[in-house]
Amino acid sequence: MSILLETNNLSKIFGSQRAVDNANIQIHRGDIFGLVGRNGAGKTTLMRMISGLAVPSNGAYTYYD
């Protein structure tokens, strides 16, 4: 299967607090993917970054056609 979304060391820092710390994810076409974690783990921040609503502090993400 081909990769649909890939993140490379994606991070988001708010002041001295790291909301997302070096996230590396590969989601393949046709996969069902879920984010699981405690409150404050960075799930929403990660989704905001890959949807373009927030700018990553470090790293990059790529969508493939």
Side-chain angles (χ1 to χ4, degrees), residues 12-35:
K12 182 67 175 176
I13 302 168
F14 296 103
S16 63
Q17 183 69 32
R18 282 190 174 263
V20 177
D21 188 20
N22 296 323
N24 293 298
I25 299 171
Q26 282 187 346
I27 301 175
H28 294 87
R29 201 170 299 278
D31 281 356
I32 297 173
F33 190 85
L35 295 172

Side-chain angles (χ1 to χ4, degrees):
M1 270 202 261
S2 61
I3 297 173
L4 179 64
L5 170 69
E6 182 174 33
T7 66
N8 294 311
N9 298 321
L10 200 61
S11 298
K12 182 67 175 176
I13 302 168
F14 296 103
S16 63
Q17 183 69 32
R18 282 190 174 263
V20 177
D21 188 20
N22 296 323
N24 293 298
I25 299 171
Q26 282 187 346
I27 301 175
H28 294 87
R29 201 170 299 278
D31 281 356
I32 297 173
F33 190 85
L35 295 172
V36 179
R38 303 178 104 178
N39 291 346
K43 300 176 300 287
T44 301
T45 303
L46 178 63
M47 293 300 293
R48 287 177 188 239
M49 286 190 291
I50 64 175
S51 65
L53 296 174
V55 178
S57 299
N58 296 313
Y61 62 92
T62 306
Y63 287 108
Y64 299 97
D65 287 335

